[in-house]
Amino acid sequence: MLKRLPDVYVIVFCLIMLAALATWILPGGQYQRRTEIIQGTSKQVLVKDSYRQIEAAPQMLSVFTAPIRGFVRMAEIIAFIFIVGGAFFMLNETGAVSAGIHALVKRLKGREYLVIPLVMFLFSLFGAGFGMCEEAIPFTLIFVPFALALGYDSIVGVCMTFLAAGVGFAGAFFNPFTLQLAQGIAGLDPVSGWEYRLIVWSVVTFLSIAWVMMYAAKIKKYPEKSIMFDLDRERRRQWMEQQSQETRFSMRHAGVLTALVLCLVLMLFGVTRWEWYIPELAGCFLAMGILSAFVGGHTANQMAKNFVAGCKDMAQAALIVCFAGAIIVVLEQGRVMDTILYGMAAAISDLPPMLGADLQYVFQMFLNFFIPSGSTKAALTMPLMAPLADLSGITRQTAVLAYQFGDGFTNMIIPTSPVTVATLGLAKIPFERWFRWNIKMQLMFFGLSILLLIWPVLSGWD
């Protein structure tokens, strides 16, 4: 059934047209918004009971103009994709990553299985701790070739970083961008309820690692069973040719990789201590690319040519991001985004507690398709979901957990998530293949989320 999914551009453009159709069917609506300072940051939040119907603005030509507006809306992350792609191409052309992976693979001979749980644990911890999301994108360029060198496929490489960070993001016990923001809006103490959230994070992380390790073991034994077998075969052949030419790990290689490690450490401190975001991270990677190319012995002209070549490789990922942003643009221009929020909220009120918690989760999961930004969704929905939780007989803490689950897990598979499409673009994994592989895991996450919401409802968790 899922073996012949259309190309991701076809999927996203159809969604843009569906969004335009919705503006002709749904009534226009609008919530009042007010500015609040939450966790030291100014946020626009909805005013409870302020929804009113307004005249809709049916969209037609915007189907064709929305992608450029989506480009403007997503300009930061698109620029980030280009700069990171160019910087890593400069790094890769030094041969240091190839030589370093080759040396590490030789040292791990017979113990390759240790890499997956260790790397996934760390990235999940980063996702749960400081909300690693966009920051995980560049690591794709390191761990995909690493996974191929270990005898796995590119899916495993993406799972070690992107998927693991997403799992931690969904089951976070500290994340300031989703958990603490949502708790602040809901009137809860920051990081309250961390004990149960730590259990949740441990469970989802363990099950995700086990899932990926079982898949990796199967692919290592039967490579032809990989959904990426045909594409990875060519990449692995190129990798082996490169390895036959570059096997000696030189002092220049060590210097280049030192520049990379320094960049990653600086990025970690920047995110956790200095509140860095996309502009600062992009600047850090650009500096890393220039420094690594200089240490690698490249001339200024070589650096420029390699940077442009890396940007060219990122064109597809950048285009997908702007088309994904176009969906949100159409709904907002058509004045139906708030109508969708109001309709879903009305459906949840006056339900039994358990059903109310589950529907809050489903609501957040559905809305994530249109608003993949976790902080934006918290600001828009928690002013509604917190009072609805009171009406449904569940605690606000439970409503925040339902928001976390609905926001986090499906981020890994929706074509409207700029982080997802950017990561897959860097990994050169077609979206439709990733969807076919990840959909079974999403079903596992769905069932797990329903189960993990039971105790909070029954115990009145607060």
Side-chain angles (χ1 to χ4, degrees):
M1 180 178 66
L2 293 174
K3 289 188 176 181
R4 292 191 178 181
L5 281 175
D7 187 89
V8 64
Y9 287 104
V10 177
I11 294 171
V12 175
F13 192 73
C14 287
L15 293 174
I16 294 173
M17 291 192 293
L18 282 175
L21 179 63
T23 66
W24 287 83
I25 298 172
L26 298 177
Q30 187 177 62
Y31 278 101
Q32 293 180 18
R33 287 165 169 79
R34 65 172 180 268
T35 302
E36 290 189 3
I37 303 300
I38 303 168
Q39 306 293 326
T41 304
S42 177
K43 294 286 183 182
Q44 288 286 315
V45 300
L46 299 183
V47 176
K48 181 176 176 287
D49 297 329
S50 66
Y51 177 82
R52 62 186 179 88
Q53 284 196 355
I54 60 175
E55 186 178 352
Q59 302 294 296
M60 183 178 294
L61 292 178
S62 61
V63 167
F64 304 102
T65 61
I68 188 65
R69 298 184 189 278
F71 186 98
V72 174
R73 185 188 187 96
M74 302 291 188
E76 265 194 346
I77 197 164
I78 290 172
F80 181 72
I81 291 168
F82 278 126
I83 290 176
V84 168
F88 263 95
F89 197 91
M90 295 165 71
L91 170 74
N92 197 50
E93 286 299 292
T94 66
V97 173
S98 173
I101 291 176
H102 179 78
L104 187 57
V105 169
K106 288 175 67 176
R107 293 181 68 90
L108 287 171
K109 195 69 174 177
R111 294 174 293 171
E112 297 92 343
Y113 61 90
L114 294 176
V115 175
I116 296 174
L118 177 61
V119 173
M120 288 190 69
F121 172 81
L122 289 175
F123 274 85
S124 180
L125 183 63
F126 294 156
F130 64 84
M132 173 178 270
C133 186
E134 289 89 349
E135 299 86 350
I137 296 174
F139 290 94
T140 304
L141 294 166
I142 298 174
F143 282 93
V144 166
F146 187 42
L148 293 174
L150 290 175
Y152 304 125
D153 65 359
S154 50
I155 295 285
V156 174
V158 167
C159 286
M160 281 196 277
T161 55
F162 164 70
L163 185 136
V167 166
F169 198 91
F173 50 80
F174 188 78
N175 187 348
F177 301 113
T178 55
L179 170 59
Q180 293 185 49
L181 177 61
Q183 287 181 321
I185 295 172
L188 301 169
D189 292 334
V191 202
S192 56
W194 66 268
E195 300 91 344
Y196 183 66
R197 285 191 171 84
L198 187 60
I199 294 173
V200 168
W201 172 76
S202 301
V203 169
V204 296
T205 300
F206 172 80
L207 289 176
S208 299
I209 291 173
W211 186 291
V212 174
M213 288 188 72
M214 286 190 293
Y215 172 76
K218 181 181 76 172
I219 295 307
K220 193 171 182 66
K221 189 173 182 180
Y222 306 107
E224 67 280 359
K225 293 193 175 183
S226 167
I227 200 170
M228 289 292 295
F229 178 67
D230 57 330
L231 299 180
D232 282 346
R233 182 169 48 188
E234 176 62 20
R235 298 172 70 178
R236 193 174 285 109
R237 183 188 64 78
Q238 294 174 355
W239 169 261
M240 294 304 294
E241 287 180 358
Q242 190 177 26
Q243 288 299 293
S244 65
Q245 298 169 5
E246 298 176 1
T247 56
R248 189 176 66 85
F249 188 75
S250 67
M251 290 301 295
R252 277 193 184 274
H253 292 151
V256 170
L257 293 182
T258 299
L260 172 62
V261 171
L262 289 175
C263 168
L264 299 180
V265 171
L266 181 61
M267 183 182 74
L268 180 62
F269 272 92
V271 170
T272 56
R273 299 282 184 88
W274 307 320
E275 297 183 351
W276 280 11
Y277 195 47
I278 288 177
E280 295 83 4
L281 296 177
C284 189
F285 278 109
L286 179 59
M288 179 275 296
I290 295 172
L291 179 59
S292 63
F294 176 78
V295 173
H298 290 182
T299 66
N301 282 347
Q302 283 178 299
M303 294 182 198
K305 289 179 181 178
N306 289 336
F307 180 80
V308 171
C311 290
K312 287 179 180 177
D313 283 348
M314 296 301 104
Q316 182 174 1
L319 278 173
I320 290 296
V321 169
C322 83
F323 272 83
I327 300 169
I328 303 168
V329 168
V330 170
L331 291 173
E332 288 182 345
Q333 288 184 338
R335 302 173 187 167
V336 297
M337 181 65 82
D338 285 4
T339 301
I340 294 172
L341 283 171
Y342 176 77
M344 294 298 293
I348 294 172
S349 60
D350 299 326
L351 290 173
M354 193 67 248
L355 188 56
D358 290 342
L359 283 183
Q360 284 219 16
Y361 160 55
V362 171
F363 164 68
Q364 296 286 2
M365 186 170 60
F366 171 79
L367 196 62
N368 197 41
F369 192 89
F370 304 100
I371 311 174
S373 168
S375 57
T376 300
K377 192 156 51 270
L380 289 176
T381 64
M382 290 316 298
L384 297 173
M385 294 299 104
L388 279 174
D390 299 337
L391 293 174
S392 299
I394 62 176
T395 64
R396 297 190 172 199
Q397 199 74 264
T398 303
V400 171
L401 187 63
Y403 151 76
Q404 281 183 250
F405 290 162
D407 169 66
F409 292 125
T410 53
N411 269 336
M412 306 172 200
I413 199 171
I414 55 175
T416 51
S417 167
V419 177
T420 299
V421 295
T423 300
L424 296 180
L426 290 178
K428 294 182 172 60
I429 297 176
F431 173 81
E432 57 272 17
R433 297 201 189 193
W434 172 256
F435 184 92
R436 282 162 50 195
W437 184 86
N438 191 247
I439 187 65
K440 293 179 182 177
M441 201 173 194
Q442 288 297 321
L443 294 174
M444 184 267 285
F445 286 140
F446 181 82
L448 191 60
S449 298
I450 297 297
L451 290 174
L452 289 171
L453 284 169
I454 293 175
W455 182 84
V457 173
L458 296 181
S459 65
W461 178 49
D462 204 354

